[in-house]
Amino acid sequence: MATIYKCSRCGIYETTKFCDIKRHIFRKNSCKKDNKYIFLSDDQILSLSLLPFSHNNNYENEIQHLENSNILDKNKEELFKELELIEKNKIKTCKLCKNEFNFISDLKKHLIINCFYNDLQKKENDKINLLNDTTSTIDNTTINYNNNNNNSNNNNNNTTINGNINIYLDMKTPIPFDQYWDVSKISIEKKSDIIISQVMYTELLESIFENDLNLNVIIDNEKKSGMVYKNDIDKYICMKSKDIVANTMEKLNYHLIELNKENANNNRSLKEVIDFTRKIINKKYIDFQKNTNIQNGVEKCICNIYENKKKEAINMAKNIPNIDMTGY
């Protein structure tokens, strides 16, 4: 019986040729991520796509350690070279750990799930250790000062931790993407700083994402698309990154104008400042709509902000009742 490879990203593409699954994985425009694979990490998706597919195969426990990992995906070109070398030369001994296998398929599975990942992790740890060594000459007085500050704030830190735990125990679900965000938790002082900031749009977005309820986008690892939370019925739908960014900018523009109005109602604010900031808010949004170069730069910036909050956004998605977790 021929070996079948099935893409664990879209759940649709199947082939009996390893070269074809490679071509599918490296395609310029990535396939759309199926909603039922939303909780799989980039490394879990890659591993499952490279392992022989069968309805009887259950790799769930074997890839558990790849949860929240993308180190394999970032080094997939090197991984494919190793796999192709094994197949071409009929190798049955792992060059990394020297373990021998009876079948080439077993060695490939071992490399994909374990050894190659472990080797990459070791290299990353070596880099971290080297960095730590180069910064180990930090003044001891500074260290002691920081430690004293940390000790004096233990009670406050414990209170904050307990507060965070309570948030997750409430099992709150994200605000739907086609609705405006909740900005009620942003302090008045922070709002005032944002409204006069040169990077008011991105600074507001970063402040908005401090509230987990606003984390309704899970950006794709290649930042060309993402899964956005629509509602409790439709759950998550796929959307192109440029559309996500356009919608994001529209909502940011709305919230910035609202912040400007709040400042206008503050008797301590100069009318000239209010008028000027309102013009800047609108000018930045108009420039974004008209200038392609600005659009490209804004898209990269906003997608990076979404990516930095990807893990937290996935945690919020797990709170949604009856979401399809097939394949996780």
Side-chain angles (χ1 to χ4, degrees):
M1 184 177 179
T3 300
I4 297 175
Y5 299 98
K6 183 175 181 178
C7 176
S8 289
R9 176 185 171 85
C10 64
I12 298 174
Y13 183 80
E14 289 186 11
T15 180
T16 58
K17 296 181 179 180
F18 189 76
C19 61
D20 288 341
I21 194 69
K22 175 185 176 181
R23 189 178 297 110
H24 179 77
I25 291 172
F26 280 98
R27 56 185 287 184
K28 184 176 180 180
N29 296 318
S30 300
C31 57
K32 291 185 178 180
K33 193 173 187 178
D34 192 291
N35 195 28
K36 65 183 180 181
Y37 301 121
I38 192 171
F39 296 119
L40 290 177
S41 71
D42 297 335
D43 283 358
Q44 287 175 323
I45 288 175
L46 178 62
S47 297
L48 291 175
S49 299
L50 298 182
L51 295 172
F53 174 78
S54 171
H55 292 291
N56 297 325
N57 285 340
N58 185 0
Y59 299 115
E60 181 177 348
N61 293 330
E62 296 181 83
I63 64 170
Q64 192 65 38
H65 63 289
L66 300 178
E67 184 181 14
N68 298 322
S69 174
N70 65 353
I71 192 169
L72 285 177
D73 188 75
K74 287 183 176 179
N75 295 274
K76 56 179 174 279
E77 289 188 11
E78 185 181 348
L79 175 59
F80 270 100
K81 288 179 181 178
E82 293 296 331
L83 294 173
E84 290 167 350
L85 188 65
I86 290 172
E87 190 68 40
K88 180 180 179 180
N89 297 307
K90 308 301 179 185
I91 298 172
K92 296 182 182 180
T93 301
C94 178
K95 78 171 191 178
L96 297 173
C97 67
K98 309 305 179 185
N99 283 339
E100 296 185 4
F101 296 86
N102 293 325
F103 301 99
I104 293 175
S105 58
D106 290 337
L107 171 57
K108 291 169 70 175
K109 177 183 175 182
H110 162 80
L111 190 70
I112 293 168
I113 296 180
N114 295 307
C115 226
F116 192 76
Y117 169 80
N118 292 337
D119 186 62
L120 290 174
Q121 287 284 51
K122 182 180 180 300
K123 291 177 181 178
E124 286 294 315
N125 291 334
D126 288 344
K127 290 180 182 178
I128 293 173
N129 291 334
L130 180 61
L131 180 62
N132 289 337
D133 289 340
T134 60
T135 57
S136 61
T137 57
I138 296 176
D139 188 84
N140 288 331
T141 303
T142 303
I143 294 174
N144 291 331
Y145 174 78
N146 289 334
N147 286 337
N148 290 333
N149 278 347
N150 289 335
N151 290 333
S152 66
N153 291 321
N154 273 343
N155 291 334
N156 291 335
N157 289 339
N158 289 334
T159 301
T160 302
I161 292 171
N162 290 333
N164 288 338
I165 291 174
N166 289 334
I167 289 174
Y168 288 104
L169 289 177
D170 288 341
M171 298 295 286
K172 295 178 180 178
T173 57
I175 295 170
F177 185 67
D178 56 2
Q179 295 182 16
Y180 292 116
W181 293 294
D182 176 10
V183 297
S184 62
K185 293 187 177 181
I186 303 177
S187 68
I188 296 176
E189 293 78 9
K190 184 61 178 176
K191 289 178 179 178
S192 298
D193 290 340
I194 290 171
I195 210 69
I196 59 173
S197 172
Q198 290 184 344
V199 288
M200 55 178 65
Y201 277 81
T202 54
E203 192 167 335
L204 175 58
L205 186 61
E206 289 173 341
S207 296
I208 284 172
F209 286 167
E210 291 178 7
N211 182 352
D212 287 349
L213 294 180
N214 294 321
L215 298 175
N216 49 25
V217 174
I218 302 174
I219 202 69
D220 196 34
N221 61 309
E222 291 160 345
K223 302 176 187 176
K224 294 182 179 180
S225 63
M227 305 296 290
V228 302
Y229 179 63
K230 188 169 179 63
N231 51 49
D232 289 339
I233 299 175
D234 298 318
K235 311 300 181 187
Y236 282 80
I237 61 172
C238 185
M239 184 179 291
K240 293 181 179 179
S241 61
K242 65 177 183 179
D243 295 328
I244 293 175
V245 171
N247 185 289
T248 299
M249 285 295 291
E250 180 182 358
K251 290 190 291 186
L252 286 173
N253 177 257
Y254 167 82
H255 284 298
L256 285 169
I257 291 175
E258 290 300 304
L259 294 187
N260 182 265
K261 290 179 181 178
E262 287 182 24
N263 272 356
N265 294 329
N266 186 348
N267 294 329
R268 293 178 300 175
S269 300
L270 291 172
K271 182 179 182 300
E272 291 80 3
V273 175
I274 299 299
D275 292 341
F276 180 74
T277 53
R278 184 177 62 253
K279 292 177 181 178
I280 294 298
I281 291 168
N282 290 326
K283 182 181 185 305
K284 284 180 176 290
Y285 186 56
I286 292 172
D287 288 345
F288 164 76
Q289 290 178 308
K290 292 183 176 181
N291 192 308
T292 303
N293 290 331
I294 293 178
Q295 289 173 9
N296 293 335
V298 170
E299 181 175 340
K300 182 178 180 180
C301 180
I302 289 181
C303 284
N304 285 339
I305 295 175
Y306 276 119
E307 185 180 40
N308 290 336
K309 285 291 184 176
K310 184 175 181 178
K311 184 176 180 179
E312 292 89 338
I314 291 175
N315 287 334
M316 283 300 295
K318 292 179 181 178
N319 291 339
I320 299 170
N322 303 319
I323 192 167
D324 188 355
M325 295 180 66
T326 304
Y328 178 64

